[in-house]
Coordinates of all heavy atoms in Angstrom, one line a residue:
M1 N 71.9 130.7 128.9 CA 71.6 131.1 130.2 C 70.4 130.3 130.7 O 69.6 129.9 129.8 CB 71.2 132.6 130.4 CG 72.3 133.5 129.9 SD 73.8 133.2 130.9 CE 73.7 134.4 132.1
P2 N 70.2 129.9 131.9 CA 70.9 130.4 133.0 C 72.2 129.6 133.4 O 72.9 130.0 134.3 CB 69.8 130.4 134.1 CG 69.1 129.1 133.9 CD 69.1 129.1 132.4
A3 N 72.5 128.6 132.6 CA 73.6 127.8 133.1 C 75.0 128.3 132.7 O 76.0 127.9 133.1 CB 73.5 126.4 132.4
G4 N 75.0 129.4 131.9 CA 76.3 130.0 131.5 C 77.1 129.2 130.5 O 78.3 129.4 130.3
V5 N 76.3 128.5 129.7 CA 77.0 127.7 128.7 C 77.3 128.5 127.4 O 76.5 129.3 127.0 CB 76.0 126.5 128.2 CG1 76.6 125.8 127.0 CG2 75.7 125.6 129.3
V6 N 78.4 128.4 127.0 CA 79.0 129.2 125.7 C 79.1 128.2 124.6 O 79.9 127.2 124.7 CB 80.2 130.0 126.0 CG1 80.7 130.7 124.8 CG2 80.0 130.9 127.2
L7 N 78.5 128.4 123.5 CA 78.6 127.6 122.4 C 79.1 128.3 121.2 O 78.8 129.4 120.9 CB 77.2 127.0 121.9 CG 76.4 126.3 123.0 CD1 75.0 125.9 122.5 CD2 77.1 124.9 123.2
D8 N 80.0 127.6 120.5 CA 80.6 128.2 119.3 C 79.7 127.5 118.1 O 79.9 126.4 117.8 CB 82.0 127.9 119.2 CG 82.7 128.5 118.0 OD1 82.1 129.4 117.4 OD2 83.8 128.2 117.6
V9 N 78.9 128.3 117.5 CA 78.0 127.8 116.5 C 78.5 128.0 115.1 O 78.7 129.2 114.7 CB 76.6 128.4 116.6 CG1 75.6 127.8 115.7 CG2 76.0 128.2 118.1
A10 N 78.8 127.0 114.3 CA 79.2 127.1 113.0 C 78.2 127.6 112.0 O 77.0 127.5 112.4 CB 79.8 125.8 112.5
D11 N 78.6 128.2 111.0 CA 77.7 128.7 110.0 C 76.7 127.7 109.5 O 75.6 128.0 109.1 CB 78.4 129.3 108.8 CG 79.2 130.6 109.1 OD1 79.0 131.1 110.2 OD2 80.1 130.9 108.3
T12 N 77.2 126.4 109.4 CA 76.4 125.4 108.9 C 75.4 124.6 109.8 O 74.8 123.7 109.4 CB 77.3 124.3 108.2 OG1 78.2 123.9 109.2 CG2 78.1 125.0 107.1
E13 N 75.5 125.0 111.0 CA 74.7 124.3 112.0 C 73.7 125.2 112.8 O 73.9 126.4 112.8 CB 75.6 123.5 113.0 CG 76.4 124.4 113.9 CD 77.5 123.6 114.6 OE1 77.5 122.4 114.6 OE2 78.3 124.3 115.4
T14 N 72.8 124.5 113.5 CA 71.8 125.2 114.3 C 72.4 125.3 115.8 O 73.4 124.5 116.1 CB 70.5 124.5 114.4 OG1 70.8 123.1 115.0 CG2 69.9 124.2 113.0
V15 N 71.8 126.1 116.5 CA 72.2 126.1 118.0 C 72.0 124.8 118.6 O 72.9 124.3 119.4 CB 71.3 127.1 118.7 CG1 71.5 127.1 120.2 CG2 71.5 128.6 118.2
F16 N 71.0 124.1 118.3 CA 70.8 122.7 118.9 C 71.9 121.8 118.5 O 72.5 121.1 119.3 CB 69.4 122.2 118.3 CG 69.0 120.8 118.7 CD1 68.3 120.6 119.8 CD2 69.3 119.7 118.0 CE1 67.8 119.4 120.2 CE2 69.0 118.4 118.3 CZ 68.3 118.3 119.5
D17 N 72.3 121.8 117.2 CA 73.3 120.9 116.7 C 74.7 121.3 117.3 O 75.5 120.4 117.6 CB 73.5 121.0 115.2 CG 72.4 120.4 114.5 OD1 71.7 119.5 115.0 OD2 72.1 120.8 113.3
A18 N 74.9 122.6 117.5 CA 76.2 123.0 118.2 C 76.3 122.5 119.6 O 77.3 122.1 120.1 CB 76.3 124.5 118.2
A19 N 75.2 122.5 120.2 CA 75.1 122.0 121.7 C 75.4 120.5 121.7 O 76.3 120.1 122.5 CB 73.7 122.3 122.3
H20 N 74.9 119.8 120.8 CA 75.1 118.4 120.8 C 76.5 118.1 120.4 O 77.2 117.2 121.0 CB 74.1 117.7 119.9 CG 72.7 117.5 120.6 ND1 72.2 116.3 121.0 CD2 71.9 118.4 120.9 CE1 71.1 116.5 121.6 NE2 70.8 117.8 121.5
R21 N 77.0 118.8 119.4 CA 78.4 118.6 118.9 C 79.4 118.8 120.1 O 80.5 118.2 120.1 CB 78.7 119.4 117.7 CG 80.1 119.4 117.2 CD 80.4 120.3 116.1 NE 80.0 121.7 116.2 CZ 80.7 122.6 116.9 NH1 81.8 122.2 117.5 NH2 80.2 123.8 117.0
T22 N 79.1 119.8 121.0 CA 80.1 120.2 122.0 C 79.8 119.5 123.3 O 80.4 119.8 124.4 CB 80.2 121.7 122.1 OG1 78.8 122.1 122.4 CG2 80.7 122.3 120.9
G23 N 79.0 118.5 123.3 CA 78.7 117.6 124.5 C 77.6 118.1 125.4 O 77.6 117.7 126.6
Y24 N 76.7 118.8 124.9 CA 75.5 119.2 125.7 C 74.2 118.5 125.2 O 74.1 118.3 124.0 CB 75.3 120.8 125.7 CG 76.4 121.5 126.5 CD1 77.5 121.9 125.8 CD2 76.3 121.7 127.8 CE1 78.6 122.6 126.5 CE2 77.2 122.4 128.5 CZ 78.4 122.8 127.8 OH 79.4 123.5 128.5
L25 N 73.4 118.3 126.2 CA 72.0 117.8 125.7 C 71.1 118.9 125.8 O 71.0 119.6 126.8 CB 71.6 116.7 126.7 CG 72.3 115.3 126.4 CD1 71.7 114.3 127.5 CD2 72.1 114.9 125.1
W26 N 70.4 119.2 124.8 CA 69.4 120.3 124.7 C 68.0 119.6 124.8 O 67.8 118.6 124.0 CB 69.5 121.1 123.4 CG 68.9 122.4 123.4 CD1 67.5 122.6 123.2 CD2 69.4 123.7 123.5 NE1 67.2 123.9 123.3 CE2 68.3 124.6 123.4 CE3 70.8 124.2 123.7 CZ2 68.6 126.0 123.5 CZ3 70.9 125.5 123.8 CH2 70.0 126.3 123.7
P27 N 67.2 120.1 125.6 CA 65.8 119.4 125.7 C 65.2 119.1 124.3 O 65.1 120.1 123.5 CB 65.0 120.2 126.5 CG 66.1 121.0 127.4 CD 67.3 121.2 126.5
T28 N 64.7 117.9 124.1 CA 64.1 117.6 122.8 C 63.3 116.3 123.0 O 63.6 115.5 123.9 CB 65.2 117.4 121.7 OG1 64.4 117.0 120.6 CG2 66.1 116.2 122.0
V29 N 62.3 116.1 122.2 CA 61.6 114.9 122.0 C 61.8 114.3 120.7 O 61.9 113.2 120.4 CB 60.1 115.1 122.3 CG1 59.2 113.9 122.0 CG2 59.8 115.6 123.8
C30 N 61.8 115.2 119.7 CA 61.8 114.8 118.3 C 63.3 114.6 117.8 O 63.5 114.2 116.6 CB 61.1 115.8 117.3 SG 62.0 117.4 117.2
G31 N 64.3 115.0 118.6 CA 65.6 114.9 118.2 C 66.1 115.9 117.2 O 67.1 115.7 116.6
G32 N 65.5 117.0 117.2 CA 65.9 118.1 116.3 C 65.2 118.2 115.0 O 65.7 118.9 114.1
L33 N 64.2 117.5 114.8 CA 63.4 117.5 113.5 C 62.5 118.7 113.4 O 61.9 118.9 112.3 CB 62.6 116.2 113.4 CG 63.5 114.9 113.3 CD1 62.5 113.7 113.2 CD2 64.5 114.9 112.2
G34 N 62.3 119.5 114.4 CA 61.4 120.6 114.3 C 59.9 120.3 114.6 O 59.1 121.1 114.2
T35 N 59.7 119.2 115.2 CA 58.2 118.9 115.3 C 57.7 118.9 116.7 O 56.5 118.9 117.0 CB 58.0 117.5 114.7 OG1 58.9 116.5 115.4 CG2 58.2 117.5 113.3
C36 N 58.6 118.8 117.7 CA 58.1 118.7 119.2 C 58.0 120.1 119.8 O 57.3 120.3 120.8 CB 59.0 117.8 119.9 SG 60.6 118.5 120.4
R37 N 58.8 121.0 119.4 CA 58.9 122.4 120.0 C 59.4 122.4 121.4 O 59.4 123.4 122.2 CB 57.5 123.1 120.0 CG 57.1 123.3 118.5 CD 55.8 123.7 118.2 NE 54.7 122.7 118.5 CZ 54.5 121.7 117.9 NH1 55.1 121.3 116.8 NH2 53.5 120.9 118.3
T38 N 59.9 121.2 121.9 CA 60.6 121.2 123.2 C 61.8 122.0 123.4 O 62.2 122.4 124.4 CB 60.9 119.7 123.6 OG1 59.7 118.9 123.4 CG2 61.4 119.5 125.0
C39 N 62.5 122.2 122.3 CA 63.7 123.0 122.2 C 63.6 124.5 122.3 O 64.6 125.2 122.2 CB 64.5 122.6 121.0 SG 63.8 123.2 119.4
V40 N 62.3 124.9 122.4 CA 62.1 126.4 122.4 C 63.0 127.2 123.3 O 63.2 126.7 124.5 CB 60.5 126.7 122.6 CG1 60.1 126.4 124.0 CG2 60.2 128.1 122.2
L41 N 63.4 128.3 122.9 CA 64.2 129.2 123.7 C 63.8 130.6 123.6 O 63.0 131.0 122.7 CB 65.7 129.1 123.3 CG 66.1 129.3 121.8 CD1 66.1 130.9 121.5 CD2 67.4 128.7 121.5
K42 N 64.3 131.5 124.3 CA 64.1 132.9 124.3 C 65.4 133.6 124.1 O 66.4 133.4 124.7 CB 63.5 133.4 125.6 CG 62.9 134.7 125.6 CD 61.6 134.7 124.8 CE 60.5 135.5 125.4 NZ 59.3 135.4 124.6
V43 N 65.4 134.4 123.1 CA 66.6 135.3 122.7 C 66.6 136.5 123.6 O 65.6 137.3 123.5 CB 66.7 135.7 121.3 CG1 67.9 136.6 120.9 CG2 66.7 134.4 120.3
S44 N 67.7 136.7 124.4 CA 67.6 137.8 125.3 C 68.5 138.9 124.8 O 68.4 140.1 125.2 CB 68.0 137.4 126.7 OG 69.3 137.0 126.8
E45 N 69.5 138.6 124.0 CA 70.4 139.5 123.4 C 70.8 139.0 122.0 O 71.0 137.9 121.8 CB 71.7 139.8 124.2 CG 71.4 140.4 125.6 CD 72.7 140.5 126.4 OE1 73.8 140.8 125.8 OE2 72.6 140.4 127.6
G46 N 71.0 140.0 121.1 CA 71.6 139.6 119.8 C 70.5 139.1 118.8 O 70.9 138.4 117.9
A47 N 69.3 139.5 119.0 CA 68.2 139.1 118.1 C 68.6 139.4 116.6 O 68.2 138.7 115.7 CB 66.9 139.7 118.5
D48 N 69.3 140.5 116.4 CA 69.6 140.9 115.1 C 70.7 139.9 114.4 O 70.9 139.9 113.2 CB 70.3 142.3 115.0 CG 69.3 143.4 115.3 OD1 68.2 143.1 115.3 OD2 69.8 144.5 115.7
N49 N 71.3 139.1 115.2 CA 72.2 138.0 114.7 C 71.6 136.7 114.5 O 72.2 135.7 114.2 CB 73.4 137.8 115.7 CG 74.3 139.1 115.7 OD1 74.4 139.7 114.7 ND2 74.8 139.3 116.9
C50 N 70.2 136.6 114.6 CA 69.5 135.4 114.4 C 68.9 135.4 112.9 O 68.3 136.4 112.5 CB 68.3 135.2 115.3 SG 68.8 135.1 117.0
K51 N 69.2 134.4 112.2 CA 68.6 134.2 110.8 C 67.1 134.1 111.0 O 66.6 133.6 111.9 CB 69.2 133.1 110.0 CG 70.6 133.3 109.7 CD 71.2 132.2 108.8 CE 72.7 132.5 108.4 NZ 73.2 131.5 107.6
P52 N 66.4 134.7 110.0 CA 64.9 134.6 110.0 C 64.4 133.1 110.1 O 65.0 132.2 109.5 CB 64.5 135.2 108.7 CG 65.6 136.0 108.3 CD 66.8 135.3 108.8
A53 N 63.3 132.9 110.8 CA 62.7 131.6 110.9 C 62.2 131.1 109.6 O 61.6 131.9 108.8 CB 61.6 131.6 112.0
G54 N 62.5 129.9 109.3 CA 61.8 129.3 108.1 C 60.4 128.8 108.3 O 59.8 128.9 109.4
E55 N 59.9 128.2 107.3 CA 58.4 127.8 107.3 C 58.2 126.9 108.5 O 57.1 127.0 109.3 CB 58.0 127.2 106.0 CG 56.6 126.9 106.0 CD 56.1 126.5 104.6 OE1 56.8 126.7 103.6 OE2 55.1 125.8 104.5
L56 N 59.0 125.7 108.6 CA 58.8 124.8 109.6 C 58.8 125.4 111.0 O 58.0 125.1 111.8 CB 59.9 123.7 109.5 CG 59.8 122.6 110.6 CD1 58.5 121.8 110.4 CD2 61.0 121.6 110.4
E57 N 59.8 126.2 111.2 CA 59.8 126.9 112.6 C 58.7 127.9 112.8 O 58.1 127.9 113.9 CB 61.2 127.7 112.7 CG 61.4 128.3 114.1 CD 62.7 129.0 114.2 OE1 63.4 129.2 113.3 OE2 63.0 129.5 115.4
R58 N 58.3 128.6 111.8 CA 57.2 129.5 112.0 C 55.9 128.7 112.3 O 55.1 129.1 113.1 CB 56.9 130.4 110.7 CG 58.0 131.5 110.6 CD 57.6 132.5 109.5 NE 57.2 131.9 108.2 CZ 57.9 131.6 107.2 NH1 59.3 131.8 107.4 NH2 57.5 131.2 106.1
E59 N 55.7 127.6 111.6 CA 54.6 126.8 111.9 C 54.6 126.3 113.4 O 53.6 126.2 114.0 CB 54.5 125.6 110.9 CG 54.1 126.0 109.5 CD 54.1 124.8 108.5 OE1 54.3 123.6 109.0 OE2 54.0 125.1 107.3
G60 N 55.8 125.8 113.8 CA 55.9 125.3 115.1 C 55.6 126.3 116.2 O 54.9 126.1 117.2
L61 N 56.2 127.5 115.9 CA 56.0 128.7 116.9 C 54.6 129.0 117.0 O 54.1 129.4 118.0 CB 57.0 129.8 116.5 CG 58.4 129.6 116.7 CD1 59.3 130.6 116.1 CD2 58.8 129.3 118.2
A62 N 53.9 129.0 115.8 CA 52.5 129.4 115.8 C 51.7 128.6 116.7 O 50.6 129.1 117.3 CB 51.9 129.4 114.4
T63 N 52.0 127.3 116.9 CA 51.3 126.4 117.8 C 51.5 126.8 119.3 O 50.8 126.3 120.1 CB 51.6 125.0 117.6 OG1 53.0 124.7 118.0 CG2 51.4 124.6 116.1
L64 N 52.5 127.5 119.6 CA 52.9 127.9 120.9 C 52.1 129.0 121.5 O 52.2 129.4 122.6 CB 54.3 128.1 121.1 CG 55.2 126.9 120.8 CD1 56.7 127.3 120.9 CD2 54.9 125.7 121.8
G65 N 51.4 129.8 120.6 CA 50.6 130.9 121.1 C 51.2 132.2 120.8 O 52.4 132.3 120.3
P66 N 50.6 133.3 121.3 CA 51.0 134.7 121.0 C 52.5 135.0 121.5 O 53.2 135.7 120.7 CB 50.0 135.5 121.7 CG 48.8 134.6 121.8 CD 49.3 133.2 121.9
P67 N 52.9 134.5 122.7 CA 54.3 134.9 123.0 C 55.3 134.5 122.0 O 56.4 135.1 121.9 CB 54.4 134.3 124.4 CG 53.1 134.0 124.9 CD 52.3 133.8 123.7
A68 N 55.0 133.4 121.3 CA 55.9 132.9 120.3 C 56.2 133.8 119.1 O 57.1 133.6 118.4 CB 55.6 131.5 120.0
G69 N 55.2 134.7 119.0 CA 55.2 135.5 117.7 C 56.1 136.8 118.0 O 56.0 137.8 117.2
D70 N 56.7 136.9 119.1 CA 57.5 138.1 119.5 C 58.8 138.3 118.8 O 59.5 139.3 119.0 CB 57.7 138.2 121.1 CG 58.6 136.9 121.5 OD1 59.0 136.2 120.7 OD2 58.7 136.9 122.8
G71 N 59.2 137.3 118.0 CA 60.5 137.5 117.3 C 61.6 137.0 118.1 O 62.8 136.9 117.6
R72 N 61.5 136.8 119.4 CA 62.5 136.4 120.3 C 62.4 135.0 120.8 O 63.3 134.4 121.4 CB 62.7 137.4 121.5 CG 63.1 138.7 121.1 CD 63.3 139.6 122.3 NE 63.8 140.9 121.9 CZ 65.1 141.2 121.9 NH1 66.0 140.3 122.2 NH2 65.5 142.4 121.4
T73 N 61.3 134.4 120.5 CA 61.0 133.0 120.8 C 61.3 132.2 119.6 O 60.8 132.4 118.5 CB 59.6 132.8 121.2 OG1 59.3 133.6 122.3 CG2 59.3 131.3 121.6
R74 N 62.3 131.2 119.7 CA 62.7 130.5 118.6 C 62.9 129.0 118.9 O 63.0 128.7 120.1 CB 64.1 131.1 118.1 CG 64.1 132.5 117.8 CD 63.3 132.8 116.5 NE 63.8 132.0 115.3 CZ 64.7 132.5 114.4 NH1 65.2 133.7 114.6 NH2 65.1 131.7 113.4
L75 N 63.0 128.2 117.9 CA 63.3 126.8 118.1 C 64.8 126.6 117.9 O 65.4 126.9 116.8 CB 62.5 125.9 117.1 CG 61.0 126.0 117.2 CD1 60.4 125.1 116.1 CD2 60.5 125.7 118.6
A76 N 65.4 126.0 118.9 CA 66.9 125.9 118.8 C 67.3 125.0 117.7 O 68.4 125.1 117.1 CB 67.4 125.3 120.2
C77 N 66.5 124.0 117.4 CA 66.9 123.0 116.3 C 66.7 123.6 114.9 O 67.1 123.0 113.9 CB 66.0 121.8 116.4 SG 64.3 121.9 116.0
Q78 N 66.1 124.8 114.8 CA 66.0 125.5 113.6 C 66.8 126.8 113.5 O 67.0 127.4 112.4 CB 64.6 125.8 113.3 CG 63.6 124.7 113.4 CD 64.0 123.6 112.3 OE1 64.1 123.8 111.2 NE2 64.2 122.3 112.8
L79 N 67.2 127.3 114.7 CA 67.9 128.6 114.7 C 69.3 128.6 114.3 O 70.2 127.9 114.8 CB 67.8 129.1 116.2 CG 68.5 130.4 116.5 CD1 68.0 131.5 115.6 CD2 68.4 130.7 118.0
R80 N 69.6 129.4 113.3 CA 71.0 129.6 112.9 C 71.4 131.1 113.2 O 70.5 131.9 113.1 CB 71.1 129.3 111.3 CG 70.8 127.9 111.0 CD 70.8 127.6 109.6 NE 70.4 126.3 109.2 CZ 71.1 125.2 109.3 NH1 72.4 125.3 109.6 NH2 70.6 124.0 109.0
V81 N 72.6 131.3 113.5 CA 73.0 132.6 113.9 C 74.1 133.1 113.1 O 74.9 132.3 112.5 CB 73.4 132.7 115.4 CG1 72.2 132.3 116.3 CG2 74.5 131.7 115.8
T82 N 74.3 134.4 113.1 CA 75.4 135.1 112.2 C 76.4 135.8 113.2 O 77.3 136.4 112.7 CB 74.8 136.0 111.2 OG1 74.1 137.1 112.0 CG2 73.9 135.4 110.3
G83 N 76.1 135.8 114.5 CA 76.9 136.4 115.4 C 76.6 136.1 116.8 O 75.7 135.3 117.0
P84 N 77.1 136.8 117.8 CA 76.8 136.6 119.2 C 75.4 136.8 119.5 O 74.7 137.7 119.2 CB 77.6 137.6 119.9 CG 78.7 138.0 119.0 CD 78.1 138.0 117.6
V85 N 74.9 135.7 120.2 CA 73.5 135.7 120.7 C 73.4 135.2 122.1 O 74.1 134.2 122.4 CB 72.6 134.8 119.7 CG1 71.1 134.7 120.3 CG2 72.6 135.4 118.4
V86 N 72.6 135.7 123.0 CA 72.4 135.2 124.3 C 71.0 134.7 124.4 O 70.0 135.3 124.0 CB 72.6 136.3 125.4 CG1 72.4 135.7 126.7 CG2 74.1 136.8 125.3
V87 N 70.8 133.4 124.8 CA 69.5 132.8 124.9 C 69.2 132.2 126.3 O 70.1 131.9 127.0 CB 69.3 131.7 123.8 CG1 69.7 132.2 122.4 CG2 70.1 130.4 124.1
V88 N 68.0 132.1 126.6 CA 67.5 131.6 127.8 C 66.8 130.2 127.5 O 65.9 130.2 126.7 CB 66.6 132.5 128.6 CG1 66.1 131.8 129.8 CG2 67.2 133.9 128.9
K89 N 67.4 129.2 128.1 CA 66.8 127.9 128.0 C 67.2 127.0 129.3 O 68.3 126.8 129.5 CB 67.3 127.1 126.7 CG 66.7 125.7 126.6 CD 65.2 125.7 126.4 CE 64.7 124.4 126.2 NZ 63.2 124.3 126.1
R90 N 66.2 126.6 129.9 CA 66.4 125.8 131.1 C 66.6 124.3 130.6 O 66.0 123.9 129.6 CB 65.3 125.9 132.1 CG 65.3 127.3 132.7 CD 64.4 127.3 134.0 NE 64.4 128.6 134.5 CZ 65.3 129.1 135.3 NH1 66.4 128.4 135.6 NH2 65.2 130.4 135.7
G91 N 67.4 123.6 131.3 CA 67.5 122.2 131.0 C 68.7 121.7 130.2 O 68.8 120.6 129.8
V92 N 69.5 122.7 129.7 CA 70.6 122.4 128.9 C 71.7 121.9 129.9 O 72.1 122.5 130.7 CB 71.1 123.6 128.1 CG1 72.4 123.2 127.3 CG2 70.0 124.1 127.2
R93 N 72.2 120.7 129.6 CA 73.1 120.0 130.5 C 74.2 119.3 129.8 O 74.1 118.8 128.7 CB 72.5 118.9 131.3 CG 71.3 119.4 132.3 CD 71.9 120.1 133.6 NE 70.9 120.4 134.4 CZ 70.2 121.5 134.4 NH1 70.3 122.4 133.5 NH2 69.2 121.7 135.3
R94 N 75.4 119.4 130.4 CA 76.5 118.7 129.8 C 76.3 117.1 129.9 O 75.8 116.7 131.0 CB 77.9 119.0 130.5 CG 79.0 119.0 129.7 CD 80.1 119.8 130.1 NE 81.3 119.5 129.4 CZ 81.5 119.9 128.2 NH1 80.6 120.5 127.5 NH2 82.6 119.5 127.5
V95 N 76.5 116.4 129.0 CA 76.3 115.0 129.0 C 77.0 114.3 130.1 O 76.4 113.5 130.8 CB 76.8 114.3 127.7 CG1 76.6 112.8 127.7 CG2 75.9 114.8 126.5
K96 N 78.2 114.7 130.5 CA 79.0 114.2 131.5 C 78.3 114.3 132.9 O 78.3 113.4 133.7 CB 80.4 114.8 131.6 CG 81.3 114.4 130.5 CD 82.7 115.1 130.8 CE 83.7 114.6 129.8 NZ 84.9 115.3 129.9
E97 N 77.6 115.4 133.1 CA 76.9 115.7 134.3 C 75.8 114.8 134.4 O 75.4 114.3 135.6 CB 76.4 117.2 134.4 CG 77.5 118.2 134.4 CD 76.9 119.6 134.2 OE1 75.7 119.8 134.1 OE2 77.8 120.6 134.1
L98 N 75.1 114.5 133.4 CA 73.9 113.6 133.4 C 74.3 112.2 133.8 O 73.5 111.4 134.3 CB 73.1 113.7 132.1 CG 72.5 115.1 131.8 CD1 71.9 115.1 130.4 CD2 71.5 115.3 132.9
R99 N 75.5 111.8 133.4 CA 76.0 110.5 133.5 C 76.8 110.3 134.8 O 77.2 109.3 135.2 CB 76.9 110.0 132.4 CG 76.0 109.9 131.1 CD 76.8 109.4 130.0 NE 76.0 109.2 128.8 CZ 76.5 109.2 127.6 NH1 77.8 109.4 127.3 NH2 75.7 109.1 126.6
G100 N 76.8 111.4 135.6 CA 77.6 111.4 136.9 C 79.1 111.3 136.8 O 79.7 110.8 137.7
L101 N 79.6 111.7 135.7 CA 81.0 111.6 135.4 C 81.8 112.8 135.8 O 81.3 113.9 135.9 CB 81.3 111.3 133.9 CG 80.7 110.0 133.4 CD1 81.0 109.9 131.9 CD2 81.3 108.8 134.1
Ligands
FES1 S1 64.0 119.6 119.0 FE1 61.9 119.1 118.5 S2 61.2 121.0 117.6 FE2 63.3 121.4 118.0

């Protein structure tokens, strides 16, 4: 949300990787290495289906301040899911749209 993009995220990949695999650009500076925090998202539904944040993600979220410690703020490039999740992230675009195709 808010673009209404639906991603099928495989067990072995992150939300960020699933977006790229299916033709979407997810905002990033570091390319998914977990260092820029540009990919940050908000989980609006299905938080129980999100795997716990690892050390790299927890460190990155800590730099974003108190709202990031709410358990619903996550880094897309680190987030793995086990079931349906609804997230809010502005700027997710289909590659074709960006190229005017
Ligand atoms: S893409 Fe840079 S931290 Fe996730």
Side-chain angles (χ1 to χ4, degrees):
M1 300 307 263
V5 174
V6 177
L7 298 173
D8 187 12
V9 183
D11 292 344
T12 56
E13 66 186 353
T14 64
V15 170
F16 179 91
D17 289 337
H20 284 249
R21 176 179 53 76
T22 55
Y24 289 91
L25 286 180
W26 195 284
T28 180
V29 172
C30 72
L33 297 177
T35 57
C36 72
R37 296 165 299 283
T38 307
C39 66
V40 67
L41 59 77
K42 194 70 139 182
V43 176
S44 63
E45 294 177 35
D48 290 346
N49 291 327
C50 296
K51 291 187 177 180
E55 184 176 342
L56 177 64
E57 184 177 6
R58 288 195 308 272
E59 287 176 8
L61 291 172
T63 67
L64 296 176
D70 61 4
R72 292 184 176 267
T73 303
R74 300 292 303 265
L75 298 181
C77 71
Q78 305 299 307
L79 177 58
R80 296 176 190 275
V81 298
T82 59
V85 175
V86 177
V87 305
V88 177
K89 178 62 178 178
R90 296 196 178 278
V92 176
R93 298 283 188 273
R94 212 158 167 70
V95 174
K96 286 182 179 178
E97 292 171 7
L98 293 173
R99 292 184 178 154
L101 300 174

